[in-house]
Amino acid sequence: YMKRIELMQRYLNEKHRTTLVHEQYLNTQREYAPGTSLYMREIHFLVALGPDNPASISSLAQRLEVTPGAVSQLAARLENKGYITRTPDPENRRRTLVSLTEEGRRLYLEHLDHDQASLSRLSAFFEDFSDTEIQRMIDAEIIFQQALRSRFPE
């Protein structure tokens, strides 16, 4: 029993370190396409929006699993950078619709290539892991999320 508790403590310690490194990664600007400088949250916003149809602030908040206020702040930054436009919904003037600009579409498409290259580099770090082992890692993350949610309901 104590060995299991010690292992869980080690797991939590490593999880904490991973969280810190990931937070630093999220808060570092990158060049996702030549001549750009964006935070990961900003590029994820563009990917969640996609090139096809406008989306409302609330639907983007659901897709990104953040508050509508956080989406509005990101939208303002991305609009200032020229990647999106915000317009009132013609069917409901209280709602705001967000669309990619031509520059935003170009960045979206270039980012898809960037993302594939990044995933390939990340995959190389796990070359000694089978697909089944990687699936078990994913399962462990889901279980950890469920444990946190049950302890601290949203």
Side-chain angles (χ1 to χ4, degrees):
Y1 177 76
M2 281 308 288
K3 178 112 173 107
R4 180 72 167 203
I5 297 299
E6 289 169 10
L7 275 174
M8 292 310 299
Q9 185 61 56
R10 275 189 61 204
Y11 175 73
L12 288 176
N13 290 343
E14 293 306 320
K15 188 70 164 163
H16 176 72
R17 287 185 191 98
T18 299
T19 301
L20 295 175
V21 170
H22 190 240
E23 190 65 28
Q24 182 181 12
Y25 185 81
L26 289 175
N27 291 322
T28 301
Q29 285 189 327
R30 293 188 171 65
E31 187 175 74
Y32 289 100
T36 66
S37 182
L38 292 165
Y39 293 101
M40 187 179 278
R41 288 177 176 92
E42 293 172 323
I43 199 71
H44 285 176
F45 180 105
L46 299 179
V47 170
L49 177 56
D52 299 326
N53 298 308
S56 69
I57 295 291
S58 59
S59 70
L60 284 169
Q62 287 177 333
R63 288 180 209 168
L64 293 166
E65 298 182 38
V66 297
T67 65
V71 170
S72 292
Q73 288 178 356
L74 275 170
R77 283 205 313 257
L78 291 167
E79 187 173 43
N80 287 338
K81 292 180 178 188
Y83 296 121
I84 66 159
T85 57
R86 293 185 292 175
T87 56
D89 183 340
E91 296 174 15
N92 179 351
R93 305 291 288 173
R94 292 177 299 153
R95 254 175 44 140
T96 299
L97 296 178
V98 182
S99 302
L100 292 177
T101 62
E102 283 306 312
E103 184 66 14
R105 278 187 178 79
R106 181 189 65 78
L107 179 57
Y108 169 86
L109 293 172
E110 287 189 36
H111 175 66
L112 296 180
D113 291 335
H114 177 277
D115 225 15
Q116 288 303 306
S118 292
L119 288 169
S120 291
R121 286 190 304 275
L122 180 61
S123 179
F125 281 96
F126 293 92
E127 66 186 356
D128 292 338
F129 288 69
S130 69
D131 289 353
T132 301
E133 289 170 316
I134 291 173
Q135 184 60 54
R136 291 289 293 158
M137 290 168 48
I138 295 166
D139 294 344
E141 289 298 318
I142 292 167
I143 290 167
F144 188 76
Q145 292 164 23
Q146 290 169 343
L148 287 179
R149 285 190 180 111
S150 71
R151 186 164 181 199
F152 306 105
E154 294 171 10

